[in-house]
Amino acid sequence: MIQNERKIRKELVMDAARCMARAARTAPKGKGMDAIEIGIVTDEDIERLSAEMIRISEETGLKFLLRDADNLKNADAVLIAGTTRKEHGLNCAHCGFPTCEEKPDTVLCALNVVDVGIAIGSACSVAADMRVDTRVMFSAGLAAQRLKMLGESQCVMAIPVSATSKNPFFDRKPKE
């Protein structure tokens, strides 16, 4: 039997996205407290993400969102990761407030935000090892957050994933 790579490409991308999700889950977490939520967006939900990015661009006037929204359509999967609220109780002031009690509820614990970054870095490392094309997009993450794709998670980041002869997420032209 011969399996043509062009026919199984999407399956291969999904395998990579699942491994990326595992890497994000097993990435180190502050105080060992897991406040990370992870999902894999596919098919019509990628279209929903793209449409939400266009709406955000219309609201804010940020034109790069139009480019990113169009670019997202080149992905076979989009890994999303964000954080829920978990206070670590360290009173470390890393969030900008002297104690956890003085920190407003609207401000995330800095360790939760750092954990998202570490999870994204770990996922990207696996993507590189698996030779799939990616780019971290906070724009698509913001759209996923607004659509509540990870429930009430905040600081959501997105990583579109594809496997083509040229990475579609770089050398992008701005949209007007």
Side-chain angles (χ1 to χ4, degrees):
M1 175 168 76
I2 297 172
Q3 289 190 339
N4 186 306
E5 177 272 337
R6 292 181 193 278
K7 292 185 177 173
I8 63 170
R9 186 177 299 163
K10 187 168 183 169
E11 181 183 328
L12 295 172
V13 168
M14 286 304 299
D15 289 345
R18 288 181 185 104
C19 290
M20 292 166 63
R22 181 183 62 225
R25 172 62 59 219
T26 61
K29 314 285 188 302
K31 279 185 68 181
M33 292 173 61
D34 189 356
I36 301 296
E37 293 298 324
I38 303 160
I40 299 172
V41 181
T42 60
D43 304 320
E44 65 276 351
D45 286 322
I46 291 176
E47 292 293 328
R48 283 182 53 220
L49 264 182
S50 179
E52 183 65 17
M53 292 165 76
I54 292 167
R55 277 192 286 283
I56 296 169
S57 176
E58 290 167 354
E59 284 176 25
T60 63
L62 297 172
K63 299 296 182 198
F64 72 89
L65 285 159
L66 298 174
R67 177 204 60 207
D68 288 359
D70 190 47
N71 199 222
L72 202 65
K73 294 176 185 176
N74 293 311
D76 288 316
V78 180
L79 181 101
I80 54 176
T83 185
T84 57
R85 294 182 169 278
K86 274 198 180 171
E87 302 302 325
H88 286 32
L90 294 176
N91 295 324
C92 66
H94 201 57
C95 65
F97 294 90
T99 67
C100 296
E101 285 183 5
E102 293 175 75
K103 181 184 73 54
D105 287 340
T106 55
V107 176
L108 287 170
C109 174
L111 293 180
N112 293 162
V113 175
V114 169
D115 287 349
V116 172
I118 293 168
I120 291 295
S122 188
C124 286
S125 174
V126 166
D129 290 346
M130 296 186 80
R131 305 304 183 256
V132 291
D133 301 325
T134 62
R135 181 181 192 110
V136 177
M137 290 186 179
F138 88 89
S139 55
L142 177 60
Q145 183 172 316
R146 284 195 177 191
L147 291 170
K148 299 197 178 295
M149 289 182 162
L150 292 176
E152 295 300 317
S153 291
Q154 295 180 297
C155 193
V156 178
M157 297 291 163
I159 308 170
V161 187
S162 80
T164 56
S165 58
K166 167 136 182 21
N167 187 334
F169 310 123
F170 283 85
D171 302 328
R172 306 170 307 153
K173 295 185 173 133
K175 296 276 183 188
E176 294 302 319

